[in-house]
C-alpha cells in the first residue's frame, strides 16, 4: 500500500475468509473446508510513494571542512559507512576549533544523525539529533528555522520507531517555531502541517490527517500556485489517505491530479513522477486490475532505473511491488524471482540488518507460505523478526506484524495453539503501542477469532470477531473492506453452526460493501459469491449453489485467469456440487480442471492438491472403480502425512475414507 515513507509502519490485517474455499469430500460426501488467504494479502511489505517521504533536513556548516564535503559525496553514493567516517572526523575537528556548543557543531551532529537514520540505527540517530539540539542551546537561537529542522528530524525518527506521541510532541515544537518565525502561510509551516498529518494517518486518524493535509495544501497553493511539485506531493499524500480508507476512486482522483503537475513541471522521467505511477499501480492492484497495476509499476521502474541506476533502494522497492502483483496472480515463482532481485540490492546497499531488507525477507516468506512450503516461510519470517527485534525492539508495530505473520504460518499448518501464542504476542504489542481501537489491533482480534474458528470453538470465535467488528465499524466505518471481511467471517461461523439464515444475512452485508467499494468484478466480491454458494450447497439447494459458483467463476477466470489457485478452487467447488447430485462424470471433469492448476501453482505436495486427489478418489469410489479410488486416496494420504503429520484432521479423514473403501472392496470381492 502506498504509505508515508520514512515514518511508516506497516499495518497488518487479519487472516480473512475471503479467498476461494477449497472443500474436501469425506466418505459421507459432506464437506471439510479449508480457508485460503485472499489474493490481496495484508501481510506484505509494499513500496512507498517518494513524494510522501519525510527525509531529514541536512543543514550544512557555514564553513564546511574537507572531511565534511567528502562525507556528503559518499552520502550521495549511499556509501553510509564512509560517510559516517568522514562526518565523525569533521565533528572532531569542529569540536577542537569551536567546542561542543556551536552552530556548526550542531549541523554536523544533524548530518551524522541523518546517516544513522538512513541506516535504520535509530537509537544512534536520536543520540546525535539530541546532540544537535544541545549544541544549539547557547549559540543558535531556539526560534530559528535550523532549530525547528532539528526538532522535525528527531520527530521523524520517533515516528519510525512507532512512538507517535513523542513524534507529535517534537513536530508541534517545530511547528510553533515555524509559525512564529516564518508565519502561518510559509512553506516551512505547510511542511510542519504535512508532518503532523502523516503521524495522524499512521495512527489511522484519517479525518485529522486529511484536515492537516488540507491546511498544508491551502498554504502551498497560495504561495506556489497549483502547478508546483510541492502541491503535487500533497495531492499524493491526500490520495494515500483515501487509499488507506479503501476509497480507491478518490485515491485515483488525487493521484491523477498530481500526475500532470509532476509530468509538466518535473518531466516524465523524474522520480516524483515515477512515485505517482506507483501510487496509481497500487490502487489498480487493490481493485484487482493486475494487468494495469503491472503496467504502471513497469513505467515507474523504467524511470527509476534510468535516473537512479539499477542498485538504488527505490529500484528494489519497485521490484518488490511487481513481485506482489505476481503473488496476487498466483504466479509465486515469478514473485520469488522479483523479491530475490529486490533482496540482492537491499542486502548490498542497505545491509542485512536494515528494516527494508527485513521487509523483503517477509515478502519471500509470504510467497513460500502461499506455495505451501511452510518450513521455508517460517525460516524467512524468523530472519525478518531477528532484524526487527534488533532495530525496533519487541514493542514496535513492525515487530508485532512479524509476530502476526508467524502466527499465520502456524495457522496454515493447522498448528492453532502455536498460532494463538504468536497472535497473542502481536496483540500485547498492538494494544500497548497503538491502543485498543486501532485497526491493527482489530486485525489481531480477527486473527484470534479465526484460530478459534478452526478449532471449532465457535462461541469464542464469534466473541473475538465481534471485538474486531466494533473497532472496524467505529474507526473505519461500515462500508470499509475490513469491516466487510469481519461480516464475512461471522457469516462463516454461523454457516458452520448450521444457522444458514444468519450466515446469508452476514454474507449479504459483506457483499453489499464489496460490490460498492470494489465493483462486481473483483476477487473479493467473487469470494463472497463463493461463500453464499457454500450455504446453498449445505442446504441442498444445488441449483442456487451452482448459480453463485458460476458468478464467482466468471470473475476469477476474467480477473485472475484460468491458472490461479482461486479459480481452481471454484472448479473444485463446482465439482463437489455435481458429485452431491451424483453427476459423477461432470464432477470428474471439473476436478480434472482444478488439479493441473494446483499441481502447476502449488506443486504435488500441497494441501490443495491433496484435497483434489481425495475428491477424485471419492468420485471413483462412488462409481465403483475401487482400484482407481485407492490409488488417488494413497496420493492424498502421502501428502497430508508429509505436510501435516499423522494426527491432522485431513490425514484422519483420508484414512477413514480408505477404511470405508476397503469395506466396499471386501463386499465386492476386490483386493484391498
Amino acid at each position: 500500500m502506498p504509505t508515508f515513507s520514512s515514518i511508516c509502519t506497516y499495518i497488518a490485517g487479519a487472516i480473512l475468509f475471503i479467498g476461494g474455499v477449497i472443500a474436501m469430500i469425506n466418505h459421507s460426501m459432506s464437506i471439510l473446508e479449508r480457508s485460503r488467504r485472499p489474493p490481496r494479502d495484508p501481510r506484505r511489505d509494499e513500496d512507498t510513494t517518494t513524494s510522501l517521504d519525510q527525509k531529514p533536513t541536512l543543514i550544512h556548516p557555514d564553513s564546511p571542512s574537507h572531511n565534511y564535503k567528502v562525507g556528503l559525496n559518499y552520502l550521495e553514493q549511499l556509501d553510509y559507512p564512509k560517510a559516517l567516517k568522514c562526518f565523525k572526523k569533521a565533528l572532531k575537528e569542529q569540536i577542537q576549533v569551536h567546542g561542543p556548543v556551536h552552530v556548526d557543531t550542531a549541523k554536523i551532529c544533524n548530518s551524522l544523525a541523518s546517516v544513522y537514520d538512513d541506516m535504520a540505527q535509530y537509537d544512534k540517530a536520536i543520540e546525535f539529533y539530541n546532540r544537535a539540539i544541545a549544541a544549539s542551546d547557547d549559540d543558535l537561537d531556539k526560534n530559528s528555522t535550523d532549530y525547528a529542522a532539528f526538532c522535525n528530524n528527531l520527530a521523524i525518527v520517533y515516528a519510525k520507531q512507532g512512538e507517535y506521541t513523542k513524534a507529535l510532541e517534537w513536530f508541534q515544537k517545530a511547528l510553533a517555531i515555524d509559525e512564529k518565525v516564518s508565519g502561518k502561510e510559509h512553506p516551512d509551516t505547510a511542511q510542519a502541517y504535512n508532518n503532523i498529518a502523516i503521524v495522524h494517518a499512521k495512527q489511522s486518524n484519517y479525518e485529522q490527517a486529511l484536515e492537516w493535509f488540507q491546511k498544508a495544501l491551502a498554504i502551498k497553493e497560495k504561495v506556489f500556485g497549483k502547478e508546483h511539485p510541492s502541491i503535487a506531493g500533497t495531492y499524493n499524500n491526500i490520495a494515500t489517505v483515501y487509499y488507506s480508507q479503501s476509497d480507491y476512486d478518490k485515491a485515483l482522483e488525487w493521484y491523477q491530479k498530481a500526475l500532470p503537475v509532476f509530468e509538466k513541471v518535473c518531466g516524465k522521467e523524474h522520480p516524483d513522477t515515477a512515485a505517482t505511477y506507483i501510487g496509481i499501480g497500487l490502487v489498480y492492484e487493490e481493485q484487482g486490475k493486475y494487468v494495469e497495476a503491472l503496467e504502471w509499476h513497469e513505467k515507474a521502474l523504467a524511470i527509476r532505473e534510468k535516473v537512479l541506476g539499477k542498485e538504488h533502494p527505490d529500484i528494489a522497492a519497485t521490484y518488490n511491488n511487481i513481485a506482489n502483483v505476481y503473488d496476487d496472480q498466483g504466479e509465486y515463482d515469478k514473485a520469488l524471482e522479483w523479491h530475490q532481485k529486490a533482496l540482492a540490492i537491499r542486502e548490498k546497499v542497505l545491509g542485512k540488518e536494515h528494516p527494508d531488507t527485513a521487509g523483503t525477507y517477509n515478502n519471500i516468506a509470504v510467497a513460500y507460505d502461499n506455495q505451501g512450503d511452510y518450513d521455508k516461510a517460517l525460516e524467512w519470517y524468523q530472519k525478518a523478526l531477528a532484524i526487527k527485534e534488533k532495530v525496533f525492539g519487541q514493542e514496535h508495530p513492525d515487530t508485532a506484524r512479524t509476530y502476526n505473520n508467524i502466527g499465520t504460518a502456524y495457522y496454515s499448518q493447522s498448528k492453532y495453539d502455536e498460532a494463538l501464542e504468536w497472535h497473542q504476542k502481536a496483540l500485547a504489542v498492538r494494544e500497548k503501542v497503538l491502543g485498543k481501537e486501532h485497526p491493527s489491533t482489530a486485525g489481531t482480534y480477527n486473527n484470534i477469532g479465526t484460530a478459534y474458528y478452526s478449532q471449532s470453538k465457535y462461541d469464542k470465535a464469534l466473541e473475538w470477531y465481534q471485538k474486531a467488528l466494533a473497532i472496524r465499524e467505529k474507526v473505519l466505518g461500515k462500508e470499509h473492506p475490513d469491516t466487510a471481511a469481519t461480516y464475512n467471517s461471522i457469516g462463516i461461523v454461523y454457516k458452520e453452526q448450521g444457522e444458514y439464515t444468519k450466515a446469508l444475512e452476514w454474507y449479504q452485508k459483506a457483499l453489499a460493501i464489496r460490490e460498492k467499494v470494489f465493483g462486481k468484478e473483483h476477487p473479493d466480491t467473487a469470494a463472497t459469491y463463493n461463500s453464499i454458494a457454500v450455504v446453498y450447497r449445505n442446504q441442498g439447494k444445488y441449483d442456487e449453489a451452482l448459480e453463485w459458483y458460476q458468478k464467482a467463476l466468471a470473475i476469477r477466470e476474467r480477473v485472475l485467469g484460468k491458472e490461479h489457485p482461486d479459480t481452481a478452487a471454484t472448479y473444485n467447488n463446482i465439482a463437489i456440487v455435481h458429485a452431491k447430485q451424483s453427476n459423477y462424470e461432470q464432477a470428474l471433469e471439473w476436478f480434472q480442471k482444478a488439479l493441473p492448476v494446483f499441481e502447476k501453482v502449488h506443486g504435488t505436495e500441497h494441501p490443495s492438491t491433496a484435497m483434489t486427489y481425495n475428491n477424485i478418489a471419492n468420485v471413483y469410489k462412488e462409481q465403483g472403480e475401487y482400484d482407481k479410488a485407492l490409488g488417488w486416496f494413497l496420493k492424498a494420504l502421502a501428502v497430508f502425512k508429509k505436510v501435516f503429520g499423522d494426527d491432522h484432521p485431513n490425514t484422519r479423514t483420508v484414512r477413514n475414507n480408505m477404511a470405508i473403501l476397503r469395506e466396499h472392496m471386501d463386499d465386492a470381492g476386490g483386493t484391498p
Side-chain angles (χ1 to χ4, degrees), residues 255-450:
Y255 281 133
Q256 293 290 359
K257 288 180 72 170
L259 185 59
V261 179
F262 282 134
E263 288 184 333
K264 180 177 180 180
V265 178
C266 301
K268 292 188 176 182
E269 294 188 347
H270 190 276
D272 287 349
T273 307
T276 309
Y277 292 162
I278 287 166
I280 293 170
L282 292 173
V283 172
Y284 281 129
E285 183 183 359
E286 287 299 314
Q287 291 179 316
K289 299 175 181 177
Y290 302 125
V291 174
E292 293 93 327
L294 278 175
E295 285 176 5
W296 285 93
H297 289 318
E298 285 166 356
K299 287 175 69 172
L301 179 61
I303 297 169
R304 286 178 162 177
E305 286 185 334
K306 182 174 182 179
V307 175
L308 303 173
K310 293 192 174 183
E311 291 193 347
H312 190 278
D314 286 356
I315 302 298
T318 313
Y319 290 162
N320 183 73
N321 284 345
I322 291 170
N324 287 343
V325 178
Y326 282 125
D327 188 75
D328 289 338
Q329 293 178 307
E331 298 191 42
Y332 304 125
D333 289 336
K334 280 189 179 179
L336 282 169
E337 177 187 334
W338 284 90
H339 284 316
Q340 289 289 355
K341 290 176 69 172
L343 181 61
I345 297 172
R346 285 175 166 168
E347 286 188 333
K348 181 177 181 179
V349 177
L350 302 174
K352 292 187 176 182
E353 294 190 349
H354 191 280
D356 288 353
T357 306
T360 305
Y361 293 161
N362 177 83
N363 290 352
I364 290 170
V366 171
Y368 280 125
D369 196 349
N370 287 338
Q371 285 185 312
D373 195 337
Y374 305 125
D375 291 336
K376 278 191 179 178
L378 281 170
E379 176 188 334
W380 285 92
Y381 282 139
Q382 290 290 356
K383 290 178 71 170
L385 180 62
I387 297 171
K388 291 185 176 180
E389 287 188 331
K390 182 174 182 179
V391 174
F392 295 126
Q394 293 187 340
E395 293 191 347
H396 186 278
D398 275 10
T399 308
R401 175 160 53 90
T402 309
Y403 294 158
N404 173 78
N405 292 352
I406 291 171
T408 301
Y410 280 120
Y411 173 87
S412 298
Q413 294 176 294
S414 301
K415 296 179 179 179
Y416 303 125
D417 289 336
E418 291 94 329
L420 279 170
E421 178 185 336
W422 284 94
H423 288 316
Q424 290 288 357
K425 288 181 71 170
L427 180 61
V429 177
R430 286 172 169 172
E431 286 188 333
K432 181 175 181 179
V433 176
L434 302 173
K436 292 187 176 182
E437 292 194 348
H438 191 278
S440 292
T441 307
T444 310
Y445 292 159
N446 199 86
N447 290 351
I448 292 170
T450 298

Side-chain angles (χ1 to χ4, degrees), residues 558-617:
R558 188 160 48 245
V559 176
L560 302 174
K562 292 185 178 183
E563 294 191 347
H564 190 280
D566 287 354
T567 307
T570 312
Y571 295 157
N572 182 84
N573 292 346
I574 290 171
I576 288 171
V577 176
H578 285 302
K580 283 181 168 289
Q581 293 177 304
S582 300
N583 299 327
Y584 298 125
E585 291 304 321
Q586 286 179 278
L588 277 175
E589 179 184 332
W590 284 95
F591 283 137
Q592 291 292 355
K593 289 183 72 171
L595 182 60
V597 179
F598 287 138
E599 288 184 330
K600 180 178 180 180
V601 175
H602 293 310
T604 56
E605 294 187 346
H606 187 275
S608 299
T609 309
M611 285 180 178
T612 310
Y613 293 159
N614 176 84
N615 291 349
I616 291 171

Side-chain angles (χ1 to χ4, degrees), residues 36 67 82 123 191 210 227 230 236 241-242 253 309 363 365 434 497 506 556 614 620 622 625 647 649-650 663:
R36 294 188 72 256
N67 278 316
K82 288 182 180 177
D123 290 339
Q191 184 58 37
L210 285 172
E227 292 192 346
S230 183
N236 266 0
V241 175
Y242 283 122
E253 177 188 334
N363 290 352
L434 302 173
Q497 292 178 313
W506 285 93
R556 286 173 168 168
N614 176 84
Y620 280 128
E622 294 299 319
E625 298 192 43
D647 293 329
N650 289 0
E663 290 177 8

